Amino acid sequence: MKLTSITLRLVKAPLKRPFTTHLETVTEREVIVVEARDQDGGIGYGEAVPFSSPWYTEETVKTCFHMLEDFLIPKTLAFDLTHPNQLAGLWSGIRRNAMAKSALEQAIWDLYAKQEGIYLGKLFGGERTEVDAGVVVASDHIEDALRQIEEGLAVGYRRYKIKINPANDTEYLTQIRRAYPDIPLMVDANSAYSLSDVPHLQKLDDFQLMMIEQPLGHDDIVEHAILQKQLRTPICLDESINSYHDAKSALMLKSCGVITIKMAKVGGWSQAVKIHDLCVEQDIPLWCGGMIEFGISRAHNLALATLKGFTIPGDISSSSRYWEHDIIEPEVIVKNGVIKVPDKPGIGFGIREKRLDELTSYRIVYK
Ligand code: OSB
Ligand code: MG
């Protein structure tokens, strides 16, 4: 394959509803869209999904831009690339900065799959033709949270994830279970607890939760193993899993019963698939995480979720949950709780050029 240019765009839009966790409230989302072009006019798309400040990962929109512009893009354009599976090795001297790597890797895999005329999910062995959709409720008002669950049920979402913290957890869960005793329910704590909260966390065992996502430190693997021994509910690790090595460590120590893979956070397709294969081998159920993203990242996630290890509905919701108008065509649509998987080449979705231009505040081309 021959890359002729790489374009970066800063893309920004307000969210339809605020996204609130105990760490941050997000009302507006900025990402970097990456376009990789070849000599035949083909274009592959990737999306870097850090936040504007480092509240969830250490990367930000600015650090990603810097890594792409000053290191990843020059290294890639100077290399005679024949296959995207060379990228991880090519970039191995650039430590971490997974979200920057993921976006550029996505764009080049999309371009490659389009050249080969194959849907990205299929390229990696994915066989699912529809993917179960899950929804995330991130609200600091219980009435609003209940309303969002109601809305989700109307669309048939197959799993409900509630953001919790020590101040709201039992009140939220009591009210939710009173209204909806049987829905598939889980919680995400985004590291709001510590090991001294074990007795408190044990109370959550009574709410028939599918799992508790990331109760302890964002960088912890050992304490989660200690906690898991004292809980009936499986722990799911999110923040702690930033690489294949992290996943291997968590499984060795039995720190969790479930893993969520966010392609962006582990550095792209190659790492995500490696973690997937490890979890399949060890019988650890997976689901695909989300980043309140635009359609390009959503489309990559959907393709990833077609792989057989993704047996639990993940955080892939409809475009319309967060956006007035998404940048892809068609948008991601949830109907009867599922998303139909496209079979067109690459990410399988087109780009709404006009909408993308409207949301682009800065654009630069590298050759
Ligand atoms: O912790 O899973 C998380 C979104 C941004 C940052 C962190 C997280 C999330 C989500 C996914 O919960 C929400 C979504 O994309 O629908
Ligand atoms: Mg999470």
Side-chain angles (χ1 to χ4, degrees):
M1 72 187 301
K2 175 134 186 63
L3 289 174
T4 53
S5 73
I6 293 167
T7 302
L8 298 183
R9 291 169 179 263
L10 283 176
V11 171
K12 187 156 71 174
L15 293 178
K16 264 164 89 175
R17 56 163 67 83
F19 184 89
T20 301
T21 70
H22 74 103
L23 297 170
E24 184 85 357
T25 293
V26 183
T27 55
E28 184 180 63
R29 191 75 175 95
E30 185 170 36
V31 302
I32 305 168
V33 168
V34 181
E35 304 169 354
R37 285 182 168 73
D38 66 14
Q39 71 280 15
D40 303 319
I43 312 180
Y45 293 91
E47 183 179 327
V49 293
F51 290 98
S52 304
S53 72
W55 67 270
Y56 175 69
T57 64
E58 74 281 16
E59 290 181 85
T60 66
V61 175
K62 275 194 185 166
T63 70
C64 264
F65 209 98
H66 164 53
M67 285 298 147
L68 284 160
E69 171 169 76
D70 294 329
F71 299 102
L72 293 163
I73 292 175
K75 224 182 174 59
T76 307
L77 286 174
F79 184 72
D80 190 15
L81 190 73
T82 54
H83 194 285
N85 63 17
Q86 297 170 303
L87 292 169
L90 177 66
W91 299 338
S92 64
I94 299 169
R95 294 281 161 87
R96 298 182 186 253
N97 293 286
M99 290 183 162
K101 290 175 180 167
S102 174
L104 185 53
E105 221 212 21
Q106 284 181 345
I108 296 172
W109 277 111
D110 179 29
L111 180 63
Y112 175 78
K114 283 169 175 162
Q115 290 171 350
E116 298 294 309
I118 182 171
Y119 175 60
L120 254 180
K122 274 203 186 120
L123 186 67
F124 290 98
E127 289 180 350
R128 259 178 253 285
T129 55
E130 51 181 43
V131 163
D132 286 349
V135 72
V136 181
V137 174
S139 173
D140 52 5
H141 292 95
I142 180 64
E143 298 77 22
D144 180 46
L146 288 166
R147 204 174 319 117
Q148 290 193 36
I149 294 172
E150 189 72 41
E151 278 173 36
L153 284 163
V155 186
Y157 278 102
R158 307 252 161 123
R159 186 231 60 190
Y160 297 79
K161 164 170 143 183
I162 316 296
K163 294 286 191 179
I164 56 157
N165 60 67
N168 75 3
D169 52 7
T170 42
E171 189 216 336
Y172 265 48
L173 290 172
T174 302
Q175 294 218 36
I176 291 169
R177 274 301 184 216
R178 193 177 297 145
Y180 308 105
D182 301 319
I183 56 168
L185 186 66
M186 62 172 286
V187 291
D188 186 0
N190 289 110
S191 304
Y193 301 84
S194 71
L195 264 190
S196 60
D197 294 316
V198 171
H200 183 97
L201 285 165
Q202 283 171 330
K203 291 190 211 150
L204 303 188
D205 273 338
D206 296 335
F207 292 98
Q208 302 125 264
L209 302 174
M210 299 163 74
M211 67 196 86
I212 301 177
E213 183 177 340
Q214 199 72 31
L216 306 180
H218 67 89
D219 52 357
D220 170 75
I221 289 180
V222 173
E223 291 187 354
H224 279 98
I226 296 170
L227 175 63
Q228 182 67 89
K229 286 194 186 67
Q230 302 173 76
L231 293 181
R232 275 186 281 120
T233 310
I235 290 173
C236 170
L237 289 179
D238 168 6
E239 282 90 329
S240 299
I241 307 297
N242 297 304
S243 66
Y244 174 78
H245 181 79
D246 288 343
K248 207 168 64 164
S249 303
L251 300 188
M252 283 170 91
L253 292 181
K254 301 192 191 313
S255 306
C256 59
V258 182
I259 282 180
T260 173
I261 299 183
K262 287 187 184 172
M263 183 183 322
K265 206 158 51 68
V266 300
W269 272 101
S270 53
Q271 285 292 302
V273 171
K274 233 174 119 179
I275 297 171
H276 165 272
D277 294 350
L278 173 75
C279 291
V280 168
E281 198 182 285
Q282 300 204 15
D283 243 341
I284 293 291
L286 290 172
W287 53 272
C288 184
M291 283 296 294
I292 340 179
E293 55 252 295
F294 289 94
I296 294 169
S297 176
R298 223 165 266 276
H300 280 279
N301 286 344
L302 182 64
L304 181 65
T306 64
L307 272 62
K308 72 170 179 198
F310 291 89
T311 52
I312 300 175
D315 287 351
I316 312 178
S317 54
S318 63
S319 295
S320 65
R321 182 161 166 78
Y322 293 119
W323 311 117
E324 213 57 71
H325 303 285
D326 203 342
I327 56 177
I328 54 167
E329 179 65 51
E331 298 196 339
V332 172
I333 295 166
V334 176
K335 211 174 148 189
N336 297 325
V338 299
I339 302 166
K340 271 219 161 61
V341 175
D343 57 6
K344 296 204 184 74
I347 56 173
F349 291 82
I351 297 297
R352 278 184 187 158
E353 299 285 350
K354 191 164 159 281
R355 181 67 178 156
L356 181 59
D357 284 343
E358 272 167 18
L359 300 184
T360 299
S361 61
Y362 179 72
R363 179 174 171 275
I364 182 164
V365 183
Y366 306 91
K367 297 199 173 181

